[in-house]
Amino acid sequence: MTDTTEQKKQAEAGFKNFHRSLCERFGYYHDEIDWQRDQVSLEEHIATQFSHVNAENAALRGQVEALQRGAGQLQEQNEALIQDAERYRWLQHGHSGYIEVVEWIGPHAAGMIGEDLDALVDAAMAKAVQP
């Protein structure tokens, strides 16, 4: 047998093994006899699987983008809530100098700080009409 014939047989065996490997990897039936005739079908099968994966990836990208937008909105809301909480704590602890929260009791007002202010605000919120 000539070198060329032997090389051709080795190349064909290598390609057949490659075909078998692709079939196994992509869940496609490997026809031991007519494997060469089946090349186009294997390519179409692989392309279909990739198109499904690409569609799934596009859908997942859309979901990730929506989650990122939602996370950004939550971050903005969280920052606004933190700022509100810091304002309240500043008033609550009496650090405001000339600004204070007062409760009118009869003819006079009482300055409110700390736990007294918390109780006053909680009671007023409980009485308030909810939207």
Side-chain angles (χ1 to χ4, degrees):
M1 200 180 299
T2 65
D3 263 352
T4 309
T5 305
E6 185 60 34
Q7 288 175 345
K8 183 179 176 187
K9 282 186 175 186
Q10 286 178 353
E12 186 174 311
F15 191 71
K16 184 175 183 179
N17 285 335
F18 176 68
H19 180 269
R20 181 183 296 111
S21 172
L22 285 176
C23 288
E24 288 173 10
R25 181 162 185 187
F26 290 99
Y28 190 78
Y29 172 73
H30 173 75
D31 187 339
E32 196 65 36
I33 297 168
D34 292 324
W35 65 273
Q36 288 176 315
R37 174 180 55 86
D38 205 26
Q39 294 300 309
V40 173
S41 295
L42 174 60
E43 289 174 13
E44 289 171 355
H45 177 77
I46 292 169
T48 300
Q49 285 193 337
F50 276 113
S51 71
H52 290 303
V53 169
N54 287 337
E56 191 175 319
N57 283 345
L60 290 172
R61 273 199 262 351
Q63 291 175 1
V64 167
E65 289 169 3
L67 289 171
Q68 288 172 333
R69 283 191 302 276
Q73 291 170 347
L74 289 174
Q75 180 65 31
E76 290 172 7
Q77 290 174 353
N78 188 48
E79 289 170 4
L81 290 170
I82 288 171
Q83 191 174 20
D84 286 346
E86 288 172 351
R87 286 186 195 109
Y88 181 78
R89 286 188 192 106
W90 186 72
L91 286 172
Q92 179 192 38
H93 295 292
H95 300 298
S96 56
Y98 297 105
I99 301 171
E100 64 181 48
V101 177
V102 296
E103 178 183 26
W104 288 97
I105 304 173
H108 65 281
M112 304 300 285
I113 60 170
E115 290 177 5
D116 293 334
L117 178 58
D118 290 344
L120 179 68
V121 170
D122 290 343
M125 288 175 67
K127 290 179 187 175
V129 176
Q130 300 297 322

